[in-house]
Amino acid sequence: MTFLSGISAVLKSASDNFVSAVCGVPGSPMTDVVSAFESSDVETDWFVNEKIAFEWALGYSFSGIRSLVAVKHVGMNVLADPLMTSMIHTIGAGLVILVGDDPEVSGSQNSQDSRYYGSLSRSPVFDPASPQEIYDYLAAAFQLSEEIKAPVIIRVTAAVLNEESEVIETDFSKPEPSNIAADESLWQYRMRGRHLRSHFENDEILSQAAADFCFVENAGKSNKKRLGIITSGYCFSRVQSVLESVSKNNIGLADFDFSVLKLGVVSPLSISKIRHFLENHETVLVAEESEPFIEDQIRVFGNVIGKRSGHLPFGSVTTAHILSAIENAGVSTLPVSKDLEMFKRPAGKSYFCDGCLYPSFYEMLGRLKAETGVYVSGDIGCSMYGIVPPYSVLDSAVSLGAAIGIGSGAARVQNRKSVAVIGDFGFFHSGLLSLIEAAEKNVPSLIYVMQNSAAAMTGGKFAYDPEKLIRAGLDSGANPLNSVQSFDFVSAVEEDLNSDMQLLLKASFEEIEKAGVSVIIIRWKCRKCQP
């Protein structure tokens, strides 16, 4: 027995289950997980986007090597294409996607729920509640992956990754060569044949896995329970905490008779066990993060409360939320709070780190926009703070790498040059192809590539030098007026910054008047990410 955090449980289980490769993409809460692997014996690589990371893992799988793909929830959108097809194509050695959800939206552009990718792709989804379950579920996921010859998803959050508890370790057997070899005979089937075969061969296995990781806690004495709770993931730990507090402190709920149905596999659901649980309770509360994924699939039974009924909020769920839901379980619906969170910048404070170039840059860009009225599209990352006061210079900031594409669409509609602001990591993640499209379609654009040499908001990991690819992308276009220039602020001192920005503003005004695509690379070193 060892005392481990959730992150350490991932490392220990990966080691004990003969995982040979980790493919990661920077992003909260997964950056710390992949960083921890860098000091291990496991081959660990960072990638510029999730599709490439997943494709490398497929190559490992076809070659008989177990691999782990570590991405944040929005990264699932990027790797969805190869994931969907690999589910019916069949693979070789076990491949597990460890995806980090962000119910609090503390470091992301949304709080999307990765469990839906289980329903969409038919990949089984494990939802661990503790370091022990992370350790156990990772082992089960690799075994299941090799049984169904398809990737398996494990969904975690920062809360369970940072949790610390005792973990009982297991001696796992090395996978048999026959279990990790790709069965090429299956590739003779046409795509429809592969799709049907995956249903015929895997549906029963997945249903059994869902049942095997589904159990009732605190069954109680009476045959008809007044209140049941269905939960999964770290919400289970919070439910346990609430029920222990209720029992210990006798806080006015002594008349309630509770039992809990804990789901370890949330896609597919064990409908037979859930139905039995629902039939034996007057009311069932579904406690889950982030979306009503489980609740929506079982609301048809009628005695279900949760997010849709107003008992719990969308997004993250706290112990206070759960206690309130229990106290109001006798009410069928509750008014939903519409108190929406806003940006709140403390007086005299900046969203940016001390010494960051962005404040001076946005002041410059604000002057350019005020005099020209250009549309300015931003990106996700540090640059997104340009959309709120005191800058308010960005007209949009949607997703990583999207600034150039959005700016191109705006330029086409407005029939004038637009401005895009994109970081170097976002450029490589998914902005490069938009640059090529803009050049090929001769879309008038002024693109600032902010080269601070790091994925600064997501752990400060690497970012490649973009200049050679930018020049190659512009050369693909037919317009000889396409241009690239750079401004170097790496060694700039504060007293010189104003004059340097004046030069950048002058160059920007000149580029706005030109046809074609103009790229200005702005180089500096992120002070937060300096060694």
Side-chain angles (χ1 to χ4, degrees), residues 84 114-125 153 199 266-269 293 297:
M84 295 295 296
S114 298
R115 296 176 298 173
Y116 287 102
Y117 273 103
S119 298
L120 182 64
S121 68
R122 293 178 42 252
S123 172
V125 180
I153 299 169
H199 276 289
V266 292
S267 185
L269 294 177
F293 174 77
Q297 295 182 65

Side-chain angles (χ1 to χ4, degrees), residues 222-287:
S222 62
N223 293 326
K224 186 79 171 180
K225 305 299 172 189
R226 177 168 179 177
L227 178 64
I229 302 174
I230 296 177
T231 187
S232 72
Y234 197 69
C235 270
F236 172 68
S237 298
R238 294 187 175 123
V239 167
Q240 281 185 310
S241 177
V242 169
L243 296 186
E244 288 171 4
S245 178
V246 168
S247 175
K248 181 179 179 181
N249 300 316
N250 191 22
I251 54 176
L253 297 172
D255 294 336
F256 277 76
D257 201 357
F258 301 103
S259 57
V260 178
L261 181 64
K262 161 72 164 61
L263 305 181
V265 170
V266 292
S267 185
L269 294 177
S270 180
I271 295 299
S272 60
K273 288 196 172 184
I274 291 174
R275 180 187 293 113
H276 179 75
F277 188 80
L278 290 165
E279 289 171 349
N280 283 277
H281 293 83
E282 295 175 16
T283 303
V284 173
L285 169 68
V286 181

Side-chain angles (χ1 to χ4, degrees), residues 155-226:
R155 181 253 207 165
V156 294
T157 62
V160 72
L161 288 173
N162 294 325
E163 179 79 1
E164 295 185 347
S165 64
E166 291 183 336
V167 173
I168 300 174
E169 300 168 22
T170 304
D171 290 327
F172 296 104
S173 301
K174 193 170 185 178
E176 294 292 331
S178 59
N179 292 338
I180 59 177
D183 185 359
E184 297 186 12
S185 67
L186 298 175
W187 301 349
Q188 65 184 302
Y189 295 107
R190 293 175 63 87
M191 292 305 175
R192 175 169 168 76
R194 294 182 193 180
H195 177 79
L196 294 177
R197 186 209 63 83
S198 69
H199 276 289
F200 299 153
E201 297 199 1
N202 290 341
D203 283 1
E204 186 174 339
I205 296 172
L206 297 180
S207 294
Q208 186 60 53
D212 289 344
F213 289 87
C214 179
F215 66 88
V216 177
E217 185 178 85
N218 188 31
K221 298 177 181 178
S222 62
N223 293 326
K224 186 79 171 180
K225 305 299 172 189
R226 177 168 179 177

Side-chain angles (χ1 to χ4, degrees), residues 417 446 483 485 507-514 518 520:
K417 206 156 193 171
L446 170 56
S483 65
Q485 58 182 303
S508 299
F509 274 120
E510 292 172 353
E511 295 302 322
I512 282 290
E513 299 303 319
K514 295 180 182 178
S518 305
I520 298 179

Side-chain angles (χ1 to χ4, degrees), residues 54-55 57-59 61-62 67-69 76 79-98 117-118 121-126 140-154 197 202 206 267-268:
F54 185 77
E55 289 164 348
L58 284 174
S61 175
F62 292 137
S67 58
L68 182 71
V69 178
M76 293 296 294
L79 62 77
D81 182 18
L83 169 64
M84 295 295 296
T85 303
S86 65
M87 291 303 301
I88 67 169
H89 184 284
T90 73
I91 62 173
L95 194 169
V96 173
I97 303 169
L98 186 69
Y117 273 103
S121 68
R122 293 178 42 252
S123 172
V125 180
F126 287 82
F142 276 107
Q143 294 165 9
L144 183 58
S145 174
E146 287 162 1
E147 184 177 5
I148 66 173
K149 291 297 179 185
V152 172
I153 299 169
I154 298 180
R197 186 209 63 83
N202 290 341
L206 297 180
S267 185

Side-chain angles (χ1 to χ4, degrees), residues 48 54 77 85 192 257 287 316 332 349 377 422 476 518 525:
V48 295
F54 185 77
N77 305 332
T85 303
R192 175 169 168 76
D257 201 357
S316 61
S332 59
K349 298 287 185 178
S377 59
I422 188 170
S476 70
S518 305
K525 292 290 184 182

